[in-house]
Amino acid sequence: VIGLAAITALAFVFPSMIADQIPSPTGPKLTGFVSDIGAVQDVVISPDGTKAYLASNPFGLVTLDISNIQSPKVVGSQRPSVGPAGHLALSPDGVTAVVTGTPRGTDIVDISNPTLPKVLASVAGTSVDAAFDEYYNAYIVTAGDVKVVELTEPASPQVVTTLVTPGIASGIAIS
């Protein structure tokens, strides 16, 4: 999985993370490394570019401080493990994460304190991906549908509607 923030690429390889500065498309160089973060399934960069949020198996949501890309550091996680995480999405303001593929289904996580992510609520059902729109609706992809969940009050998620997909959906992007 690769996440891009400005000219920084974060490449996640079990069981570690490598940060590359990309001065040109032909010349990336290793600038940082983090070990013991599990098998990273997904990464999202915070709106301010200082944090990377990882969906990890077996550690769930893991937070990295990437403000100094030469020395990225784990600053928060759901250790002891609350189980694996598949994919994640951040709210427009960067204080709520939707984490899919957890043992509870989809977790709604308060990340306003990145050092201590806190599960506020869960939406039941097997989920594989998620995305936010600018109105704080989360679109949660399951095997056969997309649940639209209103999250203006993250501790009380409300399924607004369910969109049945003509087949098996495996991902979502909102523009």
Side-chain angles (χ1 to χ4, degrees):
V1 177
I2 297 176
L4 297 176
I7 59 166
T8 301
L10 302 176
F12 296 91
V13 182
F14 179 77
S16 60
M17 192 240 7
I18 300 168
D20 285 330
Q21 287 292 99
I22 304 178
S24 72
T26 59
K29 71 176 193 176
L30 177 65
T31 59
F33 178 81
V34 176
S35 64
D36 299 323
I37 55 177
V40 176
Q41 307 298 311
D42 197 7
V43 59
V44 176
I45 306 299
S46 65
D48 67 2
T50 64
K51 303 285 184 292
Y53 295 95
L54 317 176
S56 168
N57 184 0
F59 303 120
L61 181 68
V62 175
T63 309
L64 296 180
D65 179 343
I66 58 169
S67 57
N68 177 356
I69 200 64
Q70 286 80 24
S71 183
K73 293 180 178 47
V74 174
V75 295
S77 73
Q78 293 177 305
R79 292 183 189 188
S81 177
V82 295
H87 289 278
L88 55 94
L90 295 185
S91 62
D93 60 5
V95 299
T96 304
V98 172
V99 184
T100 68
T102 73
R104 293 156 304 284
T106 301
D107 287 346
I108 312 305
V109 183
D110 178 355
I111 55 172
S112 59
N113 177 355
T115 63
L116 190 61
K118 178 182 173 187
V119 176
L120 299 173
S122 297
V123 177
T126 303
S127 57
V128 295
D129 200 4
F132 266 96
D133 67 17
E134 71 265 25
Y135 305 107
Y136 293 83
N137 293 311
Y139 296 76
I140 300 170
V141 178
T142 69
D145 61 35
V146 177
K147 290 181 170 103
V148 181
V149 181
E150 192 271 319
L151 289 173
T152 54
E153 295 292 330
S156 301
Q158 301 297 316
V159 177
V160 176
T161 191
T162 300
L163 310 168
V164 178
T165 60
I168 298 173
S170 61
I172 190 166
I174 297 176
S175 63

